[in-house]
Amino acid sequence: MDACERASQSASPRLSALQLRALTAVRGSPRINLTRLAEEVGAAAPATSRLCDRLEAAGLLRRSRADDDRREIVLTVTQSGREILETAADRRTKAVYEILKHLSPGQRQDLLHGLQAFADAADEAKPSYGM
């Protein structure tokens, strides 16, 4: 388990990486429905539905009918869910900081250059991998 995952696991309630990814996807996509969430997290619709059941039971996610189409169910993150995501993000940031402070200034600069090169390559590759 890496430092970021350990930091996320220390949040209460304890959520899996998939649960955190689902909450993050819902928070980032207003009016997302179950089908779209399943695509976002890379899971089958029945598994995603069960995932939402657990998140809803924990008070972190809400399902409601869309205003413009009463047949469609939209997902939203509750205030408790947003607080969990903020706590997890804060803990991940602190975990990364703890690792970075063990690098010399030169190593941090090398890392920055490497990450920039990676970001540039990802931007160039976007058309080929469908993003």
Side-chain angles (χ1 to χ4, degrees), residues 54-103:
R54 290 188 296 276
L55 292 170
E56 192 171 30
L60 305 176
L61 184 77
R62 183 179 314 111
R63 296 181 213 210
S64 56
R65 298 210 179 269
D67 294 333
D68 56 341
D69 182 353
R70 304 298 293 165
R71 295 171 295 168
E72 184 178 14
I73 302 296
V74 293
L75 307 170
T76 54
V77 177
T78 65
Q79 180 61 36
S80 295
R82 286 190 295 278
E83 290 169 6
I84 289 289
L85 289 173
E86 288 173 22
T87 299
D90 288 345
R91 290 181 179 177
R92 282 191 304 270
T93 298
K94 288 175 184 169
V96 169
Y97 175 77
E98 288 299 314
I99 294 166
L100 290 175
K101 74 180 190 182
H102 292 283
L103 297 177

Side-chain angles (χ1 to χ4, degrees), residues 15-28:
L15 300 177
S16 70
L18 180 59
Q19 289 170 319
L20 283 171
R21 197 164 63 238
L23 282 177
T24 300
V26 172
R27 182 185 61 186

Side-chain angles (χ1 to χ4, degrees), residues 10 26 34 57 73 90 115-116:
S10 64
V26 172
L34 188 64
I73 302 296
D90 288 345
L115 291 172
Q116 186 60 57

